[in-house]
Amino acid sequence: MSKNLKYYYDLMSQPSRALWIFLEKTKIPYERCLVNLGKAEHLTDDFKAINRFQKVPCIADNQINLAESVAILRYLCREYKVPDHWYPHDSRRRARVDEYLEWQHHNTRSACAVYFQYMWLRPRMFGSKVDPKRADQYRVQMEVCLDFIEREFLGQGAPFIVGNEISVADLVAICEIEQPKMAGYDPCNGRPNLTKWMERVREETNPFYDQAHKFVNKLAQDSIAKNKL
Amino acid sequence: MSKNLKYYYDLMSQPSRALWIFLEKTKIPYERCLVNLGKAEHLTDDFKAINRFQKVPCIADNQINLAESVAILRYLCREYKVPDHWYPHDSRRRARVDEYLEWQHHNTRSACAVYFQYMWLRPRMFGSKVDPKRADQYRVQMEVCLDFIEREFLGQGAPFIVGNEISVADLVAICEIEQPKMAGYDPCNGRPNLTKWMERVREETNPFYDQAHKFVNKLAQDSIAKNKL
């Protein structure tokens, strides 16, 4: 029986992109339900009835309305026949994927999102000015995190965050790391392992990776061009 | 074959307490390895060799060194025969537990920990002064989160965060919510559902709950007494 999976998302949201790439790549059938964050569609009463947290991404099917991208990824890996490498059944490898997924909340996600929001989103949404000292502080926090990923997760010779095959940890990680590009920051600069890994994940998931990042890439090019002026 | 599970922890750390209560309650055999955060034992090279993230809690057994309390809880539920209610195999219930575990990182955990650190830890560690405006800001953030838990997670008639039985979500939640008590803040005040739920989780997990919170309770009493002066 079809589960009638509905996926609520906005590709400006990092976890929305990770989940969108996963759904497309694994060919899980779903209905696209766009929620325009720029128009505050996530704050309507209609959307609150779907997701009490009023955030994207989220899903709704015949048995559950579920929020939190990492919880959704785990649910989809249980409910659909997806290749094992995405969320390995081997206990040790699964533990490593889980370790990254939990660690990233207060590291990759918060560091990259805070920098992006302060440098790009808030000035555009609220007209707020960028204080250079605070900008530096947020940049350094982000760089400590990116350097840790470069050294600890990608510096031991493995092509992906957990071993030799791509997993949901790579998708969740890379979509966060793409975000500061829109604010003109290149996460690859000076990080050869990260550079090769990003290219590898892109190749593994294309054409969906580029489709998901179409708008991000356009804004990133604009920001880089502006920085060169 | 015994796994020779070693558990590295400090009961001043919220996730250390959650995991300690879980290990004791489920009778998983383990070796207690105290890591005194006050003496910065987590920052030594010896500890770095055990956990590259240099944080508690973490575990080491014959097959893995693992960090991140939520990842560890999932690993232990796979590797040991623990009652199903802790991390249900039913897909829908497991998804709900996962949803809370992911949501809490940027809500319960960050809101309660930031308040505790600003009001209690930083003044004692660094002699920093409390700015009343910022204190109010952190208190309000925490109260928004606690009110959401009161209303959305505990306001629908279910005795626990996910349904009728205790799960790891309750342990992870309650240990974070205990933390601001040390800074003299009572999370139960004006929240009847939270109050009953905290008593329920305590009853389900005692005597381990009280043992884990012995030092927290002492400091909480001192803070409350000081506030009354």
Side-chain angles (χ1 to χ4, degrees):
Chain A
M1 192 186 78
S2 165
K3 288 196 180 66
N4 290 325
L5 177 67
K6 290 182 181 182
Y7 178 46
Y8 299 85
Y9 68 101
D10 182 329
L11 293 180
M12 273 297 279
S13 130
Q14 308 88 308
S16 285
R17 293 197 297 273
L19 208 34
W20 189 87
I21 294 166
F22 179 78
L23 285 165
E24 292 292 331
K25 181 71 187 169
T26 55
K27 297 189 172 64
I28 292 174
Y30 73 99
E31 182 185 333
R32 293 183 181 189
C33 305
L34 289 168
V35 180
N36 191 321
L37 297 178
K39 292 182 182 168
E41 288 178 359
H42 58 305
L43 300 179
T44 63
D45 285 344
D46 281 355
F47 188 67
K48 193 177 182 182
I50 295 160
N51 177 11
R52 58 187 168 166
F53 302 105
Q54 297 193 271
K55 290 195 172 168
V56 290
C58 67
I59 60 164
D61 67 13
N62 296 341
Q63 61 180 2
I64 198 166
N65 284 25
L66 189 65
E68 291 295 328
S69 59
V70 173
I72 296 169
L73 282 166
R74 289 196 181 92
Y75 174 76
L76 295 175
C77 288
R78 279 198 303 277
E79 295 287 326
Y80 295 87
K81 283 186 184 169
V82 301
D84 188 72
H85 63 80
W86 287 113
Y87 191 45
H89 279 84
D90 173 77
S91 183
R92 201 175 156 277
R93 287 181 59 211
R94 175 163 293 203
R96 280 275 169 266
V97 174
D98 280 346
E99 185 184 59
Y100 178 80
L101 291 175
E102 301 306 320
W103 177 83
Q104 57 90 26
H105 285 287
H106 285 292
N107 291 278
T108 329
R109 171 148 183 80
S110 56
C112 294
V114 163
Y115 182 82
F116 164 73
Q117 285 165 15
Y118 187 73
M119 298 297 286
W120 192 93
L121 193 66
R122 289 173 58 89
R124 276 152 190 83
M125 277 187 77
F126 311 117
S128 57
K129 287 197 177 163
V130 172
D131 167 27
K133 265 195 188 171
R134 187 169 271 201
D136 263 3
Q137 185 191 329
Y138 291 149
R139 184 184 47 73
V140 169
Q141 275 174 9
M142 180 171 68
E143 291 185 334
V144 166
C145 173
L146 293 173
D147 290 344
F148 189 90
I149 292 174
E150 169 79 7
R151 190 178 68 242
E152 299 292 336
F153 284 106
L154 302 170
Q156 317 295 318
F160 295 101
I161 286 184
V162 180
N164 291 319
E165 289 183 285
I166 193 169
S167 75
V168 291
D170 297 287
L171 293 185
V172 170
I174 203 165
C175 291
E176 298 295 343
I177 295 171
E178 285 279 357
Q179 201 77 348
K181 285 187 185 174
M182 287 189 279
Y185 181 85
D186 180 6
C188 292
N189 191 17
R191 298 187 186 92
N193 300 328
L194 192 86
T195 305
K196 283 178 226 150
W197 166 76
M198 287 187 86
E199 193 45 46
R200 214 173 278 132
V201 176
R202 179 174 169 250
E203 275 170 20
E204 286 270 343
T205 56
N206 252 342
F208 312 114
Y209 191 86
D210 285 350
Q211 286 172 25
H213 289 92
K214 197 174 167 185
F215 191 60
V216 173
N217 286 336
K218 195 196 162 312
L219 288 174
Q221 280 165 4
D222 291 351
S223 282
I224 290 163
K226 199 179 151 199
N227 282 355
K228 280 186 182 164
L229 286 179
Chain B
M1 193 185 78
S2 166
K3 288 195 179 69
N4 290 326
L5 176 67
K6 291 182 180 182
Y7 178 46
Y8 299 85
Y9 68 101
D10 181 329
L11 293 179
M12 271 298 278
S13 129
Q14 307 89 307
S16 285
R17 292 197 297 272
L19 207 35
W20 189 87
I21 295 167
F22 179 78
L23 285 164
E24 292 291 331
K25 182 71 187 170
T26 55
K27 297 188 173 62
I28 291 173
Y30 75 98
E31 181 185 334
R32 294 182 182 189
C33 305
L34 289 168
V35 181
N36 191 320
L37 298 179
K39 292 182 182 168
E41 289 178 359
H42 58 305
L43 300 179
T44 63
D45 284 345
D46 281 355
F47 188 67
K48 193 177 182 181
I50 294 160
N51 177 11
R52 58 187 168 167
F53 301 105
Q54 298 192 269
K55 292 198 170 166
V56 291
C58 68
I59 60 166
D61 67 14
N62 296 342
Q63 61 181 2
I64 198 167
N65 284 24
L66 189 65
E68 290 296 328
S69 58
V70 173
I72 295 169
L73 282 165
R74 288 196 180 94
Y75 174 76
L76 295 176
C77 288
R78 279 197 303 278
E79 295 288 325
Y80 296 86
K81 282 187 183 167
V82 301
D84 188 73
H85 63 80
W86 287 112
Y87 191 45
H89 279 85
D90 173 76
S91 184
R92 199 174 158 277
R93 286 181 59 209
R94 175 162 292 202
R96 280 274 170 267
V97 173
D98 280 345
E99 186 183 58
Y100 178 80
L101 291 175
E102 300 307 320
W103 177 82
Q104 57 90 27
H105 284 288
H106 285 292
N107 290 279
T108 328
R109 172 150 183 80
S110 55
C112 294
V114 163
Y115 182 82
F116 164 73
Q117 285 165 14
Y118 188 72
M119 298 296 287
W120 192 92
L121 194 65
R122 289 174 58 88
R124 275 152 191 83
M125 278 187 77
F126 310 116
S128 57
K129 287 197 176 164
V130 171
D131 167 27
K133 266 194 186 170
R134 188 170 270 202
D136 263 3
Q137 186 191 327
Y138 290 149
R139 185 184 46 74
V140 168
Q141 276 174 9
M142 180 172 67
E143 292 186 333
V144 166
C145 172
L146 293 173
D147 289 344
F148 189 90
I149 292 173
E150 169 79 7
R151 192 178 67 241
E152 300 292 336
F153 284 106
L154 302 170
Q156 319 293 318
F160 295 101
I161 285 184
V162 179
N164 291 320
E165 288 182 287
I166 193 169
S167 75
V168 291
D170 296 287
L171 293 185
V172 170
I174 204 165
C175 291
E176 297 295 343
I177 296 171
E178 285 280 357
Q179 201 77 349
K181 285 187 185 173
M182 287 189 279
Y185 181 86
D186 179 5
C188 293
N189 190 17
R191 298 187 185 92
N193 299 327
L194 192 87
T195 305
K196 282 178 226 148
W197 165 77
M198 288 187 86
E199 195 45 45
R200 215 174 278 133
V201 175
R202 180 174 169 251
E203 276 171 19
E204 286 270 342
T205 57
N206 251 346
F208 312 114
Y209 191 85
D210 285 349
Q211 286 172 26
H213 288 93
K214 198 175 167 183
F215 192 59
V216 173
N217 286 335
K218 195 197 161 312
L219 289 174
Q221 280 165 4
D222 292 352
S223 283
I224 290 162
K226 199 178 151 198
N227 282 354
K228 279 185 182 163
L229 286 178

